[in-house]
Amino acid sequence: MSLSVESRVVSATGQPTEEHPAEKAPDPAAPPRTGRAGAAFRGLGLVLALAALVLVGLLSVWVGTRGIPFTATWNVLWNPDGSETSVIIHDYRIPRTLLGLLVGMALGLAGALMQALTRNPLADPGMLGVNLGASAGVVVAIAFFGVAAPLGYVWFALAGAAAASVGVHFLGSSGRKLASPERLVVAGAAVTAVLYAFNWAILLLNPRAFDQFRFWTVGSLAGRYHDIVLMTLPFVGVGLVIALVLAPSLNALAMGDQMGRALGVNVGRTRALGAVAVMLLCGAATAAAGPIGFVGLAVPHIARFVVGPDQRWVFAYSMLIAPVLLIGSDIIGRVIGAPGEVQVGIVTAFIGAPLFIALCRRRKLVML
């Protein structure tokens, strides 16, 4: 017997359907996700995630390669006096923390959005070629224009990310068919392969460009100041707004394109806007901090484990959990690498990979 429209609509809020048999037997250890108890649990979880974000933000301002007492940090945080301690806090650690907040929110939300658009639980923001597009922009800036400062090549990275996203969407929507998730994934893989070959062809022929590029490609929040934070903010802000507006439509599309159209969703426009949001979020984050892995892949799974498949809650949780993971990894990198530091991209790989494996083992991943 086929399901009614009402019973299918319920599936977008986390109820089991015949199309998702894996969800008929929920994990006994999973938290409540329906009714008033579920709403209260989700709200409490958001408060706790926000508190954790504030905590790691304060730790990021306090902890660094140079030890500063907490009382001194707290005093100059609110009363800058031009001292060396004040300069370290306000000119180095605060911009670094703010950038970690923006980049983490962007990567977490881009990952959740990418997985919702493709209905693939293993999708990450790089699947649309955004990361490689940004990398190609940086390679061109370094090799052909002699740009060396992060603020200089960040615009090239954004342009490369935008060009890659447009190319993927153009290839995925060529012909008479709309850009389906499968076509976008295949187009993204093709564009990624071409850009990868382009980047390394240039870098292997230009040792100077390779030497500069290798520091950017690891992924780091160090050496980024207020100017890069201000540059990143509008792109991330617009991407966040677009993604949050699309959340209800993505809930409907989770049941298939045909059912989404029956519920009044413009499938083509939703996918196009989603691709634009991924480009803005991932492009700005990658341009500012370099390619950072596992944040966009693992964080949405953590969010879905807590709140279920409702994209409105998944997006909200991803926006808070991802910067906690990123800033926390940055703090760990400063501590374990003292008197130097380990780049945050390396730390997130070491933390994110085991975390993602544990999630895969604990709960079977189903198609979205």
Side-chain angles (χ1 to χ4, degrees):
M1 180 181 297
S2 61
L3 293 176
S4 65
V5 173
E6 290 81 4
S7 62
R8 290 175 181 265
V9 171
V10 172
S11 68
T13 60
Q15 297 295 328
T17 69
E18 292 179 359
E19 294 182 357
H20 298 278
E23 304 235 349
K24 287 185 177 180
D27 187 346
R33 293 173 183 158
T34 58
R36 294 183 179 178
F41 177 84
R42 291 165 170 170
L44 177 61
L46 278 181
V47 173
L48 293 177
L50 181 60
L53 180 57
V54 173
L55 177 61
V56 296
L58 292 175
L59 286 174
S60 179
V61 174
W62 174 34
V63 178
T65 55
R66 174 166 181 177
I68 300 176
F70 178 78
T71 53
T73 302
W74 186 260
N75 289 333
V76 299
L77 178 63
W78 304 108
N79 302 292
D81 54 11
S83 63
E84 184 179 2
T85 298
S86 179
V87 170
I88 292 173
I89 297 299
H90 288 274
D91 292 350
Y92 292 92
R93 293 186 183 175
I94 290 180
R96 184 173 184 163
T97 302
L98 292 177
L99 185 63
L101 172 65
L102 289 176
V103 170
M105 292 176 66
L107 292 177
L109 188 54
L113 181 59
M114 190 67 210
Q115 292 173 11
L117 283 172
T118 61
R119 297 199 291 273
N120 183 349
L122 297 179
D124 70 340
M127 186 171 285
L128 285 183
V130 178
N131 286 348
L132 264 296
S135 299
V138 173
V139 168
V140 170
I142 295 173
F144 298 111
F145 295 92
V147 179
L151 186 62
Y153 56 63
V154 73
W155 296 105
F156 287 87
L158 282 170
S165 298
V166 171
V168 168
H169 195 268
F170 175 77
L171 291 176
S173 59
S174 60
R176 298 181 179 180
K177 296 183 179 180
L178 294 175
S180 65
E182 296 80 10
R183 289 165 65 92
L184 286 175
V185 169
V186 173
V191 171
T192 296
V194 171
L195 291 175
Y196 183 85
F198 171 80
N199 288 347
W200 285 104
I202 295 176
L203 293 174
L204 291 176
L205 295 174
N206 191 331
R208 181 190 61 83
F210 175 78
D211 191 57
Q212 288 186 246
F213 178 77
R214 65 189 178 92
F215 290 103
W216 177 84
T217 195
V218 172
S220 176
L221 300 177
R224 274 66 168 177
Y225 307 110
H226 287 290
D227 48 6
I228 293 185
V229 174
L230 294 177
M231 182 282 304
T232 307
L233 181 59
F235 295 98
V236 174
V238 174
L240 290 177
V241 172
I242 295 175
L244 294 177
V245 170
L246 291 178
S249 298
L250 292 172
N251 275 342
L253 287 182
M255 298 174 285
D257 292 356
Q258 185 176 0
M259 183 58 63
R261 291 189 185 95
L263 295 174
V265 176
N266 187 321
V267 177
R269 183 178 62 186
T270 299
R271 290 222 173 91
L273 289 175
V276 170
V278 171
M279 182 271 293
L280 291 172
L281 292 169
C282 189
T286 305
I292 298 175
F294 282 104
V295 176
L297 178 63
V299 166
H301 288 281
I302 300 174
R304 278 192 293 273
F305 176 76
V306 176
V307 299
D310 189 339
Q311 300 298 341
R312 296 169 297 180
W313 287 98
V314 171
F315 285 4
Y317 270 75
S318 296
M319 288 171 54
L320 296 178
I321 297 174
V324 171
L325 174 61
L326 185 62
I327 298 174
S329 298
D330 189 42
I331 296 172
I332 293 173
R334 298 182 222 173
V335 172
I336 64 176
E341 64 179 66
V342 179
Q343 284 84 354
V344 67
I346 298 174
V347 180
T348 55
F350 275 100
I351 295 178
L355 178 63
F356 185 67
I357 292 172
L359 286 170
C360 293
R361 290 176 59 85
R362 178 177 177 84
R363 190 178 185 212
K364 182 180 179 181
L365 298 179
V366 297
M367 294 302 291
L368 301 178

